[in-house]
Amino acid sequence: MTSKQKLELTWIGKDKRPKLEPRILVEEAEKSYHARQRVTDKDIFDNQLIFGDNLLALKALEAEYAGKVKCVFIDPPYNTGSAFTHYDDGLEHSIWLGLMRDRLEIIRRLLAEDGSLWITIDDNEAHYLKVLCDEVFGRANFVANCLWQKVYSERMDARGFSVSHDHLMVYRKSDAFQPRQLPKDQNVAQFGFFDARANKYYRRRSLRKEGSESLRQDRPSMWYAIPAPDGSDIWPIKPDGTEGRWRWKEENVEGNRDLLEFVNKEGRWEIYVKQFLEESPTRPPATFWPSDEVGHNHEAKLEVRAFNPKNVFDTPKPERLIQRVLDIASVPGDLVLDSFAGSGTTGAVAHKMGRRWIMIELGEHCHTHIIPRLEKVIDGDDPGGVTAAVNWQGGGGFRYYRLAPSLLEKDRWGNWVVNPEYNAAMLAEAVCKLEGFSYAPSETRFWQHGHSSESDFIYVTTQTLGVEQLAQLAEEVGEARSLLVCCAAFRGVTAVQAGQRWPNLTLKKLPKMVLSRCEWGHDDYSLNVANLPMAEKPPADPVQQGLFGEEGA
């Protein structure tokens, strides 16, 4: 009997997974920015802008934010091939898929049960990405493939087809996600009739089906007579005498007669359905997003030019596009994440719409584009984008963080040691994260650096602890609590002996206790071709080599 198989996408190196180091985040207060005063009671100040490799940053967020993010929007590199000129074609796709898979898996863990992921992508990788996301999220959690009309006119210089759209893939964490309805425009001028009993304006729509599939033979059950006010029978006969059909089933007519209006036109009865003008009409979101509704590439470039006219970001997204995503996927107060922040559009729009946000960006445009943009948003000095549509007045703020360096580095003899850039607080926080403890240093107990429960604590130190110090720790901790002691060394007792002598203490040595956990010293997992392995060159033809010598000679 054959083993159970599954449908999956395979690529070179799929089985290779990085052992990511869960770094800590270090705030740089001089780059954080907040409004000078509150504008409203709903101002949000704890948003986060993280500078660093986005895979490591996602891992850094996992311990605190797993299951808490309502909406993730990402605009990853599209893998057009132009950046991969010197790389094998099969390797190109494999590298892109592997790097995306690693990010998607963490994003899924970060999403709330009713959360959703939105990915913009073009035709180069859209269909591979669909299969990859099916594998990570489950095919049942595919929600939609929306098409965004990214240009407002065709390119006359295009070779072949003029590409007018990008894809917007939508996935959910689980079936708890329900897309929110969008506001529906109504042509008020069409609602020219007034119902005094309902106290509402309405428009008329014929109960007789019009257009396609409107004949009796299309739906025979919809051919029946309805009594007119004068007692005669009204049949769904078209003006030309053709036998048509009604829109409603017969039983629905009896239960909704108050919505029907009988009009006698030159001795011939017509039946209309009253469609009332709604106060707050909504509609389901569609999968085609035209540029006149959600913006286009040119509009997006005009928006970012306001923040850096000398160096316009290459591939920004219009604010109206992000507004549409957040309208469908979130409500004010929800947490939004963008791990490919680019020019900062997601954070800017989320801020204006009252969402909490986290953005991650490694490029220098984090400082040249994103920070200046956010400062203007916070100051209320950004009149563009969706500002007027959402009545944004300014306020709130964000904290700027950078990824801490790797916890361990090699000394000049090749031994792994604690990075000297780490002070005591950073070390304690990093070890807490590695060991699954919440970092919460006590103001009164020096040995309480974090906790994993109400009675389980952790103590991190670079000191060498002796028997006297361990005995004192055990006494202070007490029998009802436990303490994980992480230190450089301990003397006079082994870890096993310590556990027997002081059952409430567990001893581990730094850095030995964490050596096998992660890939230490690896700072860049970015989708940057400079970091990727080169394709192998084919073996030289000895005949050709003999004729022409080595290449470049």
Side-chain angles (χ1 to χ4, degrees), residues 261-324:
E261 186 171 20
F262 294 80
V263 179
N264 193 312
K265 292 185 175 181
E266 300 178 354
R268 186 174 182 275
W269 287 102
E270 290 285 351
I271 307 177
Y272 295 97
V273 179
K274 296 178 181 178
Q275 289 189 329
F276 291 103
L277 180 66
E278 301 174 62
E279 292 182 3
S280 300
T282 60
R283 62 177 174 87
T287 54
F288 177 64
W289 294 13
S291 60
D292 60 347
E293 291 184 8
V294 297
H296 43 73
N297 284 341
H298 182 64
E299 177 179 317
K301 289 204 171 189
L302 291 177
E303 289 172 354
V304 299
R305 185 172 291 159
F307 309 105
N308 191 327
K310 296 181 179 179
N311 182 15
V312 179
F313 192 75
D314 287 337
T315 56
K317 295 296 178 283
E319 290 200 6
R320 287 193 291 161
L321 178 72
I322 307 301
Q323 180 189 21
R324 170 68 60 87

Side-chain angles (χ1 to χ4, degrees), residues 44 47-50 71-74 307 317-319 321-323 326 334-361 369-371 373-378 382 386-387 390 392 395-398:
I44 301 171
N47 303 299
Q48 297 183 43
L49 176 60
I50 302 171
C71 173
V72 177
F73 174 88
I74 57 173
F307 309 105
K317 295 296 178 283
E319 290 200 6
L321 178 72
I322 307 301
Q323 180 189 21
L326 298 187
D334 283 341
L335 180 59
V336 175
L337 168 66
D338 184 347
S339 56
F340 293 90
S343 63
T345 305
T346 301
V349 176
H351 202 95
K352 295 176 184 179
M353 295 179 67
R355 275 65 166 170
R356 296 177 297 129
W357 56 264
I358 300 173
M359 288 196 294
I360 303 167
E361 182 52 57
H369 291 73
I370 297 178
I371 291 179
R373 181 177 198 167
L374 293 175
E375 288 177 349
K376 284 183 174 289
V377 170
I378 291 165
D382 169 24
V386 301
T387 294
V390 301
W392 175 247
F398 68 91

Side-chain angles (χ1 to χ4, degrees), residues 5 21 41 46 65 67 76 112 133-135 140 163 178 227 246 273 323 373 406 412 427 442 456 489 511:
Q5 294 181 319
E21 176 188 357
D41 292 337
D46 61 347
Y65 290 99
C133 287
D134 283 347
E135 188 172 327
V163 178
Q178 294 295 326
W246 301 118
V273 179
Q323 180 189 21
R373 181 177 198 167
S406 183
R412 57 180 176 172
L427 176 62
S442 169
D456 298 307

Side-chain angles (χ1 to χ4, degrees), residues 109-127:
R109 294 193 289 270
L110 290 171
L111 280 174
E113 285 302 306
D114 59 349
S116 58
L117 167 65
W118 303 67
I119 313 173
T120 50
I121 199 73
D122 70 0
D123 285 329
N124 285 288
E125 294 291 353
H127 306 91

Side-chain angles (χ1 to χ4, degrees), residues 204-265:
R204 291 171 174 173
R205 186 185 187 195
S206 178
L207 181 62
R208 179 170 38 79
K209 181 75 167 68
E210 298 169 340
S212 61
E213 298 186 0
S214 60
L215 300 178
R216 177 179 179 177
Q217 60 263 31
D218 294 326
R219 294 285 297 276
S221 63
M222 300 294 197
W223 169 266
Y224 56 88
I226 298 175
D230 63 3
S232 61
D233 286 338
I234 307 174
W235 296 88
I237 298 175
K238 298 187 175 187
D240 63 0
T242 306
E243 293 182 346
R245 69 177 184 86
W246 301 118
R247 295 179 184 275
W248 292 358
K249 293 180 180 178
E250 192 169 3
E251 57 266 28
N252 293 338
V253 171
E254 292 305 315
N256 294 283
R257 289 190 72 90
D258 57 330
L259 294 178
L260 300 181
E261 186 171 20
F262 294 80
V263 179
N264 193 312
K265 292 185 175 181

Side-chain angles (χ1 to χ4, degrees), residues 429-445:
E429 184 179 357
V431 175
C432 280
K433 182 168 280 193
L434 283 162
E435 292 295 312
F437 284 74
S438 298
Y439 177 63
S442 169
E443 295 181 358
T444 57
R445 297 186 176 95

